[in-house]
Structures are given as structure tokens and as C-alpha cells.
């Protein structure tokens, strides 16, 4: 089967005067049509860098190697103009802070019109307005929003506007970069529900970048766990969250309290993120891992198949030792 | 409510004048934002009370009033039967010894120009704990090591920007514990931290309440976390408490429609966990002269005409658990 997006051996390195920070290392992943993939990880795990690299929004001077095939085209190799054609039309993004994503001095209507005209320069004002109102309705916003300025709206409303804008040209791939993190519990719940509701009618593929496992649990069918720039584990949400194979995923899960289940003691993962500017020989997680053996510090574990559609990069998962704990 | 409660919060109110651009107002015309509108709670020693609610519900204002970073418009807090107003009039130092706060952002909590040593020595010196610097340093080192920050000498010589958020937050907790306060307010202490270090801060707070017998108010919007850490939970909406009870009772058997909606909107880590499908519209309004009826009525899915007429009464739902809603049928007859 043809994947919608295939990421092959992606490496992203931020270069500054005296340091090279390898923010994303050797990431391989595939996203199928209709998938909703959640990328989870702590801050500094490279999840946002990965998304920015796919969108080519990384800062100047960043070194990127590898491939990101989207419908047969390599997103990392095509020209700037070709990339601009893809933006909004094929790939759209919703950022964490909608208040910063929208211009404070223009009405919502003007901003949406701007984006619409970039790709359909001949569109009539009538056409744009109909489409905008249609989208505002889709994200549960009243029509009066059309004539408002961003400062007249609350955070939740702005985030909805940002989602509406991202849907403007029926993109195939939607990337949510921490899109609900800055919102309140209730607003977040509402927006997540609306996203799920929307997907019933629109055939979009979604990548959710978040640090909150519970968001992934409620809205995604696949999950990829990242740590220190590397992919630790991936698979179906119901498999990974119920039976995590990688010790890091297990640790991450142990630090989330359950809402209604048993009150088990929270366990934290000792230690800190490694320095990403230094080359790491073995498994990146080994210094913080309680199951680490000598081999873990010396050799990098390969991605091993776990279950139906999953994989984990851990020596423990090789040779049936995965049930050790 | 027991009379021998250690902390007694009595009818705290905090009104901010609403800025409408006018300099002078006729009598009775000035509007107020009622950030906290009559909150009464009581706590025992060693108890952790969780306060949850959406942003703008007044939970942080309540926290700031409890440590007197803000003065309440009316109402008072009693610690061990003594009014904090009286304590403050006599001696601020004594009050600060008893009540401490842990802030949300550990990066803003410390002076960036001072080393951790200087930061930690200051409260000890100010409150005359320890004979001289040598003894005070010893206290600092012991506290740091007990808090899992090793090697202590190394940490002491560092500046705040050289430490991680988790380490700084632990130092913040250690500093607030130096004076052996009986009452600690933790205002979203972990929301700035990464998930993997969150657990140790939470466990540290629990140990602290249990071992030092301090009463802790834990303010947060993370419901699952609040349920984990707290003995009792108070749910706030527009400056008023709408539901109060033991943590498990409130989360597993919520009575007030607002609490139910809050919990149903809260995503869970367990993909198989069932939850009620309740959605509420919109966002909380600014509490400028909220109506005579129930404050939640405009957004409530259970509201009837009566709800808009007068503020509902407190309904007991067994034990200390109560909810402020007239639509609740006691004994869980209406549970789904």
C-alpha cells in the first residue's frame, strides 16, 4: 500500500557558532491516508523540530538529511516555489498559540481572504465569504466572528479560527503542533471533540504533536513516542498505551495519574535529557533506564517489530525478553 | 464541619472595581468583578486540598489571598483559631513563618543574579534560624540532600539558569519548607514541568504534608493529577465553590452539572476508560455582577427557569460531600 507520507532516515541538526545540536536523528515513519498519528515526547524530544522540518519552516542554516516523501514528492528536495504550492493546499498546520499566529491588526475576514487568494487569485469575494462562513460553522463559531479582530476573541475561539483556516483548501495532511496545549480543560475537550466530529465528514490525515498522552489516547489511532530526537516506539494507540514495550514509554505512562482508575503511586524517570550536541554511542535512553545493561550503553538498538503494526527500539524487546517487566 | 479545624477559611470575598472608563460613579453604579465570592473551607493538619476549575474561576486569586499577596474585600482566614488579620497587624514575620507559597513558574521564582546559596540563606537569616552562616549552610545542605539534590555543594554554587525546571521547583519547595510552615499554597506547581519530572515534585509535596503535618492547598487545572494528590477537592466556578468532597467521591461520583462536564471533558490516558458525554457551550464569562440565580445556569444543560431566579442551596450528598445545585436528587438517585 502506498503511504501518504513516508519519512526516511530524517536527521535535523541545528548549527550555531560553536555547537551542532542533533535535534532529530534517524527517524523513520510512515503515515497512511486517514490515519491520525500522535507524536508524544517531553520538551526537547524533537517532536516539533520534526514537524517544522516536514513543513520546511526550520531556521536558516539548519542541516537536514534524509527523505520525506509526500505523494511521491520529496518535501525536503523540492524547490521553495513547489513547497509554497503545497502549503495550505495539501499540507496545513495549526500552531500552539493561535493568538500569535493571527495578525492583530486585521479582521479575521481579511486574514482568511489573504490566504485564500494566494492559491486562488481569481476567486470572487462572494465565493470566499461563503467558504469562510461554511468553515466557521464547521468549527462551531458564530457568524459574527467574520468581522472581529483577534483581540476581541478568547483563546478557544482563536484556536478554532486557526483550525478553520487550516481547512480552507481541503488539505490532505493536517499537522497540529500542540494545538490544544494552551487551552483550558473544557475548551480543549470541546475542540478535540469537534476535530473528531469533523473527520467523520472530511477525509483528512492528521498528525498531532503533543506532550499529553491523554490527548493522544482520545483522538489518535496511532502513536509515535520520541525521546532525545529519536523514535523510541510506535504502534496502534490501543496496543502501545495498554502494553508499552519500551521502558521509556512505560516510564512516561507511569508518570500520568489515571482519572478514575486505581490510585497507583506515580513514578518519575530519574535523570535528565542527554546533551544533544554530543554523539551518543548506545541507546539514548540508557543513562536513565532502569533495565539498562552493558550492551545498551555500547550499541544502538535497532527498531524491532512488536505486535501487529508496532515497533520499539530496545534491546529488551529482542529475544523474547520483553516480558521481563 | 469540625470546629477543631486547623485552617478555617471564612467567607472570603475579593472584588475588583470594573474599569469602565468613568472616573466618578453615582452611588451604587460602580460595577465590580467578583473574582472570589464568598468561599468558606476548612482543613485539618496534614490534609491536601485540591482546588480545580477553569481559568478565570478565581482559584489563583484565592491562593494569593490565603498568603496575603492580596487583601480580601471581606472575610478572614483562621489558623489554629487565630485570625490572620490579627497576626498580620502585630507581626508580618510570624505570618510568613506560618504560611508559604509555591509558584507556578520556577524560572521566575528566583533572583537570576544570585547563587542558590544566597537565595537559600536569605530566609534563614531573616528569620534568625541557625547561629551563624556555617550552621545555616549545614541546614541548606541537609535540606537539599533530603530533597534528592546531590551533590549539595555543587547545587549551592550554581545560578538559577544553570538548573533545570524540575530542580528549581524542588528548591522552591525546599525553601518554602525551611520555616516549617503549617500552611502551604501550591499554585499550579507542576504545570510548567515535563511529565517525567512531574511525579517527583508531586510525591515530594505529598511526603511534605504527611511528614511535617502541614496543610496544603493544591491549585491546578489538571483533574487527574489533583485527584491523585488530594484528600479533598473543591470545584470552583466564577468565584464560588460549587462542589466539595473527598477526592474519590467528587471524581467518581460528581453531582454538580459543572463538575460532571469538567470531568467528562477531561481526556484520560486510558483509551478504554468510559466517560459521560456532556458538553457545555462557551467559556466562563467575566463575573461582573453575576445574576441573582445560579452562576452556572447560562451554560448548564440541566438549567430550568428557577435556576435563574435565586442562588441554589447547598445539598449534602453524604458525608462531607456537598454540591451547590437545586437539581440534585440526594442519595445518587439520578446517577447514570
Amino acid at each position: 500500500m502506498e503511504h501518504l507520507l513516508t519519512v526516511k532516515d530524517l536527521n535535523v541538526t541545528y548549527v550555531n557558532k560553536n555547537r551542532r545540536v542533533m535535534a532529530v536523528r534517524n527517524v523513520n515513519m510512515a503515515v497512511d491516508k486517514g490515519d491520525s498519528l500522535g507524536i508524544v515526547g517531553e520538551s526537547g524530544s524533537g517532536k516539533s523540530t520534526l514537524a517544522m522540518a516536514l513543513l520546511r519552516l526550520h531556521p536558516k542554516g539548519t542541516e537536514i538529511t534524509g527523505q520525506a516523501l509526500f505523494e511521491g514528492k520529496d518535501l525536503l528536495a523540492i524547490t521553495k516555489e513547489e513547497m509554497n504550492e503545497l502549503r495550505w493546499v495539501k499540507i496545513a498546520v495549526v500552531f500552539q498559540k493561535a493568538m500569535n499566529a493571527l495578525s492583530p491588526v486585521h479582521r479575521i475576514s481579511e486574514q482568511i481572504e489573504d490566504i485564500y487568494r494566494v492559491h486562488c487569485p481569481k476567486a470572487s469575494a462572494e465565493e470566499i465569504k461563503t467558504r469562510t462562513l461554511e468553515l466557521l460553522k464547521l468549527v462551531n463559531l458564530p457568524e459574527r466572528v467574520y468581522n472581529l479582530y483577534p483581540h476581541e476573541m478568547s483563546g478557544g475561539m482563536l484556536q478554532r479560527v486557526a483550525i478553520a483556516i487550516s481547512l480552507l483548501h481541503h488539505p490532505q495532511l493536517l499537522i497540529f503542533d500542540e494545538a490544544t496545549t494552551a487551552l483550558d480543560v473544557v475548551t480543549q475537550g470541546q475542540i478535540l471533540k469537534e476535530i473528531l466530529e469533523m473527520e467523520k465528514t472530511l477525509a483528512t490525515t492528521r498528525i498531532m504533536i503533543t506532550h499529553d498522552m491523554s490527548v493522544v489516547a482520545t483522538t489518535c489511532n496511532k502513536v509515535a513516542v520520541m525521546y532525545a530526537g529519536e523514535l523510541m516506539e510506535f504502534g496502534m494507540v490501543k496496543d502501545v498505551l495498554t502494553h508499552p514495550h519500551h521502558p521509556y514509554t512505560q516510564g512516561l505512562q507511569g508518570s500520568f495519574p489515571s482519572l478514575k482508575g486505581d490510585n497507583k503511586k506515580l513514578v518519575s524517570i530519574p535523570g535528565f535529557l542527554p546533551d544533544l550536541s554530543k554523539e551518543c554511542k548506545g541507546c539514548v535512553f540508557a543513562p536513565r533506564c532502569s533495565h539498562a545493561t552493558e550492551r545498551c550503553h555500547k550499541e544502538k538498538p535497532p527498531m524491532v517489530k512488536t505486535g501487529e503494526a508496532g515497533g520499539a527500539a530496545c534491546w529488551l524487546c529482542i529475544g523474547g525478553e520483553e516480558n521481563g517487566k | 464541619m469540625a470546629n477543631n479545624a486547623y485552617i478555617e477559611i471564612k467567607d472570603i470575598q475579593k472584588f475588583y472595581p470594573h474599569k469602565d472608563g468613568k472616573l466618578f460613579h453615582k452611588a451604587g453604579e460602580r460595577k465590580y468583578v467578583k473574582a472570589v465570592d464568598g468561599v468558606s473551607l476548612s482543613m485539618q493538619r496534614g490534609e491536601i486540598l485540591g482546588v480545580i476549575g477553569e481559568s478565570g474561576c478565581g482559584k489563583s486569586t484565592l491562593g494569593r489571598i490565603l498568603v496575603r499577596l492580596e487583601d480580601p474585600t471581606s472575610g478572614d482566614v483562621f489558623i489554629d483559631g487565630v485570625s490572620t488579620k490579627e497576626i498580620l497587624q502585630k507581626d508580618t514575620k510570624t505570618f510568613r513563618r506560618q504560611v508559604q507559597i509555591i509558584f507556578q513558574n520556577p524560572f521566575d521564582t528566583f533572583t537570576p543574579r544570585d547563587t542558590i546559596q544566597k537565595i537559600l540563606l536569605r530566609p534563614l537569616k531573616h528569620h534568625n534560624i541557625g547561629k551563624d552562616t556555617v550552621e545555616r549552610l549545614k541546614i541548606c545542605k541537609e535540606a537539599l540532600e533530603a530533597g534528592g539534590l546531590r551533590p549539595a555543594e555543587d547545587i549551592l554554587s550554581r545560578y538559577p539558569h544553570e538548573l533545570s525546571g524540575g530542580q528549581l521547583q524542588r528548591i522552591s519547595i525546599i525553601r518554602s519548607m525551611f520555616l516549617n510552615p503549617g500552611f502551604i499554597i501550591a499554585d499550579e506547581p507542576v504545570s510548567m514541568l515535563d511529565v517525567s519530572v512531574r511525579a517527583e515534585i508531586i510525591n515530594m509535596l505529598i511526603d511534605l504534608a504527611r511528614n511535617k503535618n502541614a496543610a496544603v492547598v493544591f491549585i491546578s487545572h489538571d483533574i487527574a493529577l489533583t485527584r491523585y494528590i488530594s484528600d479533598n477537592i473543591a470545584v470552583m466556578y466564577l468565584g464560588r465553590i460549587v462542589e466539595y468532597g473527598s477526592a474519590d467521591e467528587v471524581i467518581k461520583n460528581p453531582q454538580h452539572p459543572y463538575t460532571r462536564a469538567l470531568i467528562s471533558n477531561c481526556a484520560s490516558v486510558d483509551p478504554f476508560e468510559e466517560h459521560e458525554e456532556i458538553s457545555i457551550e462557551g467559556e466562563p464569562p467575566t463575573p461582573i455582577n453575576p445574576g441573582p440565580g445560579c452562576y452556572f445556569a447560562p451554560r448548564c444543560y440541566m438549567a430550568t427557569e428557577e435556576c435563574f431566579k435565586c442562588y441554589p442551596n447547598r445539598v449534602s450528598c453524604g458525608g462531607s460531600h456537598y454540591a451547590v445545585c437545586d437539581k440534585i436528587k440526594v442519595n445518587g438517585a439520578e446517577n447514570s
Side-chain angles (χ1 to χ4, degrees), chain B residues 230-298:
Chain B
S230 315
D231 302 303
N232 290 309
I233 286 183
V235 185
M236 276 183 85
Y237 185 75
L238 292 191
R240 288 198 175 184
I241 288 174
V242 293
E243 186 158 359
Y244 171 87
S246 75
D248 276 359
E249 267 290 304
V250 172
I251 301 302
K252 286 188 181 165
N253 188 17
Q255 293 297 327
H256 196 280
Y258 178 65
T259 319
R260 284 191 182 185
L262 205 60
I263 291 167
S264 93
N265 271 298
C266 179
S268 171
V269 242
D270 185 351
F272 299 112
E273 202 164 270
E274 283 177 32
H275 61 266
E276 281 183 288
E277 283 290 328
I278 299 170
S279 53
I280 45 175
E281 297 287 311
E283 277 150 50
T286 313
I288 304 165
N289 296 349
C294 174
Y295 293 178
F296 184 57

Side-chain angles (χ1 to χ4, degrees), chain A residues 42-43 154 184 190 261 266, chain B residues 55 194 196 203 227-228 280 283:
Chain A
E42 292 172 74
S43 42
S154 66
D184 246 326
Q190 286 167 356
L266 291 185
Chain B
S55 48
D194 254 323
S196 67
N203 289 334
R227 183 224 163 192
Y228 171 77
I280 45 175
E283 277 150 50

Side-chain angles (χ1 to χ4, degrees), chain B residues 92-274:
Chain B
T92 342
K93 245 183 182 175
T94 328
F95 179 72
R96 297 274 173 242
R97 263 187 181 223
Q98 287 178 339
V99 187
Q100 284 288 324
I101 186 164
I102 299 156
F103 291 103
Q104 175 174 10
N105 190 343
F107 299 99
D108 290 347
T109 314
F110 300 103
T111 326
R113 283 163 177 268
D114 290 352
T115 55
I116 297 298
Q117 175 171 335
K118 215 170 167 189
I119 288 166
L120 286 180
L121 283 179
R122 194 170 293 135
L124 293 178
K125 210 169 167 185
H126 189 74
H127 288 278
N128 283 325
I129 297 168
K131 276 201 303 286
D132 47 20
T133 316
V134 183
E135 201 182 318
R136 283 175 199 141
L137 264 179
K138 213 180 128 209
I139 299 175
C140 290
K141 276 179 201 163
E142 277 166 10
L144 284 176
E145 264 161 26
L149 293 159
R150 285 185 207 94
E153 282 89 2
D154 182 40
I155 301 270
L156 281 175
S157 64
R158 294 212 199 182
Y159 285 92
H161 70 264
E162 297 175 300
L163 297 167
S164 72
Q167 286 175 315
L168 285 176
Q169 197 61 293
R170 268 187 281 175
I171 293 173
S172 177
I173 295 177
I174 287 167
R175 180 174 66 170
S176 67
M177 285 320 289
F178 268 159
L179 311 173
N180 265 326
F183 190 27
I184 297 164
I185 287 93
D187 189 356
E188 308 244 19
V190 294
S191 59
M192 295 289 289
L193 303 177
D194 254 323
V195 262
S196 67
V197 288
R198 218 174 252 195
E200 57 187 320
I201 301 291
I202 291 294
N203 289 334
M204 194 173 169
L205 270 175
I206 295 179
D207 286 347
L208 204 138
R210 302 286 179 262
N211 299 340
K212 304 230 172 170
N213 228 353
V216 178
V217 175
F218 183 82
I219 298 169
S220 177
H221 60 259
D222 187 332
I223 296 166
L225 203 62
T226 310
R227 183 224 163 192
Y228 171 77
I229 190 174
S230 315
D231 302 303
N232 290 309
I233 286 183
V235 185
M236 276 183 85
Y237 185 75
L238 292 191
R240 288 198 175 184
I241 288 174
V242 293
E243 186 158 359
Y244 171 87
S246 75
D248 276 359
E249 267 290 304
V250 172
I251 301 302
K252 286 188 181 165
N253 188 17
Q255 293 297 327
H256 196 280
Y258 178 65
T259 319
R260 284 191 182 185
L262 205 60
I263 291 167
S264 93
N265 271 298
C266 179
S268 171
V269 242
D270 185 351
F272 299 112
E273 202 164 270
E274 283 177 32

Side-chain angles (χ1 to χ4, degrees), chain A residues 25 227-228 230 232 246-248 268-276 278-301 313-315:
Chain A
R25 281 176 285 192
Y227 175 76
E230 290 183 21
M232 294 282 115
H246 199 284
Y248 178 64
S268 60
I269 308 169
F272 315 102
L273 273 174
D275 186 353
L276 293 175
K278 288 191 187 108
E279 197 73 53
C280 175
K281 253 188 180 175
C283 169
V284 266
F285 186 58
R288 292 174 79 181
C289 182
S290 53
H291 308 294
T293 58
E294 232 172 84
R295 192 181 188 187
C296 297
H297 290 283
K298 281 180 189 153
E299 285 174 70
K300 192 153 272 192
C314 181
W315 286 117

